[in-house]
Amino acid sequence: MGSSTLSFGPFLYDPATGSLRREGKPVATGQRPAALLGLLLEAEGRVVTKADLMERAWPGLAVEEGNLTVQIAALRKLLGASPDGMDWIVTVPRVGYRLPRQDDAAPAPAGPQPPTVAVLPFVNLGGDSDQDYFADGVVTDIITALARFRSFSVVSRNSAFVYKGRSIDVREVAAQLGVRYVLEDGIGGMFAFQDHITERVASTVEPTIEIAEIQRSRRDRPNSPAVYDLYLRALAAIIDESIENNAVAYGLLQQALVIEPENPMILSHAAWALEHRIAMGWPRLGKDDAAECVSLARRGLQHSGGDPRVMAHCGMALVQAGKDYEGGMAVLEAAAAANPNDLFVAACSGTAALHCGDIDRALERLHRALRLGPRDPDARFSLTAIAMAEVIRGNYEAAISYASRSLALNAHFDPTYWMLIAAHAHLGHIEEARQFLHALEAIAPDVTLESIVAGQPAKDPRRFAPVLDGLARAGMRARA
C-alpha cells in the first residue's frame, strides 16, 4: 500500500497517528491542533466549515467558537509563515478556514486540467421544512449523475451544502471551493431541469462526452414523479442508518417498484437496504431477506446499463448477502473501472476487497475514497473499513482514530462501534470498550456475536476474527 501521509511545504502529516514532521524532524503538536490540521489537509484546498472543525477537535462536545479561534491561532504559530510570507491557513470570513494546495498559487500548467463543478443546494420555495428532503434529494441526485463523467470532478454534497440557506456571491463561493463551475437554482420542470443541467455541463466542460452517457442518466432516473418522490424519501431514510428508518426506506422502495419494476436505481437501492440490514444483523423484514436481496441485485444489474453506482450497490449485495465472492468482486471491479472518481464506488470496492481480497489493495481504494470526500456522509464506510484493516493488523490506536472520525459523521453506523469496541478491548481499555458496547446496544438492542457473524462475508473467516475476538473480550453476548 502506498503511504497515506499528507504533505505540504516542508511538512509531512500522518493522519493515522496525528504526528507532524518538518523536513524530517518531529514537530510537537497538541491533539486538537493536529486534528484540525488533518481535516484541513483532507479537504485538499477547499473550505472547511467551523462546525466541521469543531466536531473534529471536540467530537460530541458543545464548545464556544472562541476555542476554535484559539486552536487555529496556535496552529498558525506552530507552522510559521509559508514561502510567500503569508499564513499557511486562510480564514474564509463567516464560513471557516482552508489550507490552500501547494499548486494553488503556481502558474497554470501548459496542458488542460480537468475542471471541477459544484452544485449548490436549491431553495425550498414552498417554505415547509418537512419538504427539504425533496430539494436536497434533487441536488444529491444531480451530483451523482454528474459524477458519472470522468472528464471533470464534482464537489461532494457536504462541501456544497455548507452554503445552504445563505445569501451568497457565486463568484466568492467558486473561489472558496476552488471550482470553475457553480450550478444553482432551477429551470422549468424538475426532470427537464435535470436534463438541462446534465447536458449543459457536459457540453460546456467536455464536448466529446458521448451522448450515451446522458441517455443513461435519463434511463436510470425514475420516469414517474411519484416514483421519484418515493425514491428521495427512501434515500433520506436509509442514510439515517437506524433500524426503523431502514425498514421505512425499504417499504418506500417496494412501493416504487410496483410502479417501475425494472428501474435499476430503485432495484439497487432496495438491494442496498436489505444488504445493509443483513450486514448489521438487524431483525428480518421477510421470510428470506438474503434471497430477496440477491434477486433485487441481479435484476438491478440486468437493467443497469453499466452505471457504476448501481453496480456498486448490487455487487456489495452479492458479496454480503449472497456470499457470491467471485461474482460480487467482479461487479465491483467493473464499477471501479467505470468511474474511479466516485467515492461511494471506491468505498464499496475497497470494503469488499478488505473481506475477500488483498488488504493493501483494499486500503488503496479506501484511502482514495476518503480523499475524494473526507466529510461526505458516505465517508463513514471508508473510515470504518480502514479501522477494520488496522484492527486486523494490530494497529489499534490507528483503528480508534479512524473509527472516531466515522462516529463524528454518523452516530448510527453499527460497524463503527464494532471497531471502537474491538480496538479498545485489544488495548486492554475494557471500560472504554464497554462504554461503546452500551452505546451500540442502545441503537441495536438485539446485537450479538452470532448476528454480526451471520451478516459478514466468510471467504476467509480468519479475516474478521480479530474484530470478533475484541467484541467478545468486551463482553458482547454470543447469541440471543
Side-chain angles (χ1 to χ4, degrees), residues 26-27 44 47 50 71 77 84 92 133 187 220 266 278 321 326 337 358 372 471:
V27 178
E44 296 184 329
V47 64
K50 294 176 183 179
Q71 294 296 336
K77 183 177 181 181
D84 60 5
V92 181
Y133 77 89
I187 302 173
D220 293 349
I266 304 298
I278 292 165
E326 300 302 325
D358 180 75
L372 289 168
L471 295 174

Side-chain angles (χ1 to χ4, degrees), residues 4 6 15 23 49 59 80 86 115 153-154 172 175 191 198 204 236 251 260 270 285 296 356 360 400 422 460:
S4 60
L6 304 171
E23 297 177 342
T49 66
M86 305 296 288
S153 59
V154 185
E172 183 180 341
F191 291 159
T198 306
T204 301
E260 294 187 19
L285 293 177
L296 289 164
C356 305
D360 287 342
I400 291 170
D460 181 358

Side-chain angles (χ1 to χ4, degrees), residues 356-435:
C356 305
D358 180 75
I359 293 181
D360 287 342
R361 183 176 180 81
L363 283 169
E364 287 175 1
R365 292 265 175 88
L366 294 166
H367 280 291
R368 175 176 177 76
L370 201 55
R371 289 193 298 271
L372 289 168
R375 300 300 293 173
D376 191 282
D378 287 346
R380 66 188 180 278
F381 300 124
S382 302
L383 288 165
T384 300
I386 295 171
M388 175 180 159
E390 299 297 356
V391 170
I392 292 170
R393 291 183 160 177
N395 301 325
Y396 305 123
E397 294 285 0
I400 291 170
S401 174
Y402 284 109
S404 297
R405 290 165 59 185
S406 175
L407 190 65
L409 288 177
N410 193 310
H412 288 158
F413 190 44
D414 293 12
T416 298
Y417 290 97
W418 304 348
M419 304 312 153
L420 287 168
I421 295 165
H424 276 295
H426 281 295
L427 286 170
H429 304 161
I430 301 302
E431 184 59 33
E432 290 89 342
R434 287 176 177 165
Q435 288 177 2

Side-chain angles (χ1 to χ4, degrees), residues 253-263 266-267 270 296 299:
L253 292 165
Q254 287 297 304
Q255 293 179 45
L257 285 174
V258 171
I259 305 171
E260 294 187 19
E262 296 182 352
N263 186 287
I266 304 298
L267 287 165
L296 289 164
R299 288 166 57 196

